[in-house]
Amino acid sequence: MPYNEYLEIEALQRPSLADFRARFLRPQVPVKISGAIDDWPAFKHNKWTLDFFAKNFGHETVGIERFEPGERGEGKNSPQDYVKHLKFQDMKVGELIRILKEKPDHMYYMAQHPFRRCFKGLRADIHENPYLRHCIKYIPGAHMDSYLWIGPRGTMTPLHQDPMPNFLIQLVGRKLVYLFPPEQARKNLYIGQFERPSFSPVDVEAPDLDAWPNYRDCTPYRTVIEPGEMLHIPRNWGHAVRSLDISISISSFFITYGQLFKLLPEYVSDTWSRLRDGRRWDQVNERAGVNAPPRNADGRT
């Protein structure tokens, strides 16, 4: 099929846990699920709003991805533009909310901020994900946890892979997600041929087919996740995400015990290499592996 024709992701209304595991988790197939967070206070009562975060957590300091006007947006969403213009900055949540309301063209994005580092009491607003029972949901140092995203319309996370499966859960606004099976990663998506090893150099919305001709042979999927929906993104599936509205999302990385046993040698080797090289993760400004901040020569972020 042509690269610019998209397959549909199956969408289900709260499937059983057994059905999810048999049809999607074990075979590593994406699925969009609705109805699973209808009883979460954060969603049920429309509790999580920009004003809610400004009022209750405005004093908290978080790390943001910062783009100035004209650096991102339609026609400027390539991975190359992303890396070229990306800046990291610490900012009070209240100031971020003010910018989102008054200056949405600035593209200030709280991307993948770990719950456990701040936002005391916020977890009470979300219940346990019913599809993560008997899964491992947190491993220190493995960049595996639940993360909060708050950002404006138009943010674009370029095409990349994550080593852990993930549920992307939408609370406010909509997100457009492109997905690609993992066997296409190196040949058709050119993952590994970019300065960030897990990223593709291909702009999924405006691909340069002269530079990346194999992209013509990819098999893309595309879906929009609405408020109250969650998307299962299996490990190593390529994906790119664009916010269609001001958006508040949760990404929950996890792993099954079976997957952990298979990946344990790789994890131990990677951890040992990082310790040996003295590249310890800054737990104060932790990011998931997708958006790890660059480090200076002295090891600081």
Side-chain angles (χ1 to χ4, degrees):
M1 61 177 288
Y3 71 91
N4 54 357
E5 291 185 8
Y6 299 98
L7 297 171
E8 289 292 323
I9 299 294
E10 187 168 358
L12 298 177
Q13 174 72 23
R14 193 154 189 162
S16 69
L17 178 59
D19 188 34
F20 168 70
R21 287 179 171 170
R23 295 177 55 200
F24 304 103
L25 183 59
R26 293 192 189 102
Q28 300 189 58
V29 174
V31 62
K32 184 168 67 173
I33 297 173
S34 60
I37 68 167
D38 288 353
D39 61 344
W40 289 13
F43 178 71
K44 182 178 181 179
H45 304 297
N46 297 316
K47 185 176 181 179
W48 283 16
T49 64
L50 295 184
D51 289 339
F52 167 80
F53 280 94
K55 178 180 178 180
N56 293 279
F57 305 104
H59 62 285
E60 298 276 11
T61 298
V62 296
I64 65 162
E65 295 182 359
R66 191 186 86 219
F67 297 94
E68 302 304 329
E71 291 181 344
R72 298 289 281 164
E74 188 173 349
K76 297 182 179 180
N77 280 329
S78 72
Q80 292 80 1
D81 284 326
Y82 176 80
V83 170
K84 177 182 178 181
H85 297 295
L86 174 63
K87 294 170 283 291
F88 292 98
Q89 177 180 334
D90 288 340
M91 179 176 285
K92 298 290 186 182
V93 170
E95 177 65 7
L96 171 64
I97 299 304
R98 185 189 70 78
I99 291 172
L100 291 179
K101 288 183 172 184
E102 299 176 6
K103 301 179 180 180
D105 60 334
H106 280 58
M107 296 292 175
Y108 283 23
Y109 196 16
M110 191 186 79
Q112 293 192 206
H113 192 86
F115 273 101
R116 65 184 64 247
R117 288 295 142 198
C118 65
F119 302 121
K120 184 177 180 181
L122 193 63
R123 280 184 180 269
D125 289 342
I126 60 173
H127 299 163
E128 181 183 7
N129 187 329
Y131 302 104
L132 296 187
R133 291 173 189 161
H134 312 301
C135 291
I136 303 168
K137 298 179 281 292
Y138 176 62
I139 299 179
H143 321 315
M144 190 176 73
D145 201 351
S146 288
Y147 299 85
L148 183 63
W149 307 67
I150 302 177
R153 177 183 182 273
T155 56
M156 179 79 176
T157 300
L159 181 58
H160 64 280
Q161 289 179 307
D162 290 321
M164 304 293 184
N166 172 28
F167 267 106
L168 180 57
I169 305 168
Q170 201 63 19
L171 278 300
V172 174
R174 301 165 299 151
K175 282 186 171 176
L176 172 65
V177 185
Y178 301 88
L179 298 107
F180 302 81
E183 61 269 17
Q184 301 179 25
R186 297 211 171 262
K187 181 179 179 182
N188 297 340
L189 308 182
Y190 299 89
I191 288 179
Q193 299 185 37
F194 194 56
E195 58 188 271
R196 290 192 172 196
S198 62
F199 274 62
S200 166
V202 181
D203 181 351
V204 298
E205 296 187 327
D208 182 345
L209 298 178
D210 291 329
W212 318 110
N214 290 349
Y215 186 76
R216 289 187 181 91
D217 301 323
C218 71
T219 305
Y221 294 72
R222 185 175 65 179
T223 192
V224 173
I225 48 175
E226 305 273 352
E229 295 181 335
M230 61 172 68
L231 177 66
H232 169 238
I233 304 175
R235 67 181 302 268
N236 289 332
W237 271 67
H239 55 286
V241 183
R242 180 157 63 88
S243 295
L244 301 178
D245 310 293
I246 288 179
S247 174
I248 300 177
S249 313
I250 297 170
S251 56
S252 294
F253 292 88
F254 68 97
I255 194 168
T256 66
Y257 284 93
Q259 289 172 329
L260 178 64
F261 293 141
K262 290 180 181 179
L263 295 174
L264 192 58
E266 175 185 332
Y267 170 68
V268 170
S269 176
D270 178 68
T271 301
W272 170 249
S273 295
R274 287 190 289 112
L275 291 174
R276 181 190 60 202
D277 295 341
R279 294 182 283 112
R280 292 177 174 82
W281 193 257
D282 184 349
Q283 295 292 337
V284 174
N285 291 308
E286 182 187 31
R287 307 284 200 282
V290 170
N291 290 316
R295 295 182 178 273
N296 299 323
D298 62 1
R300 296 176 301 170
T301 56

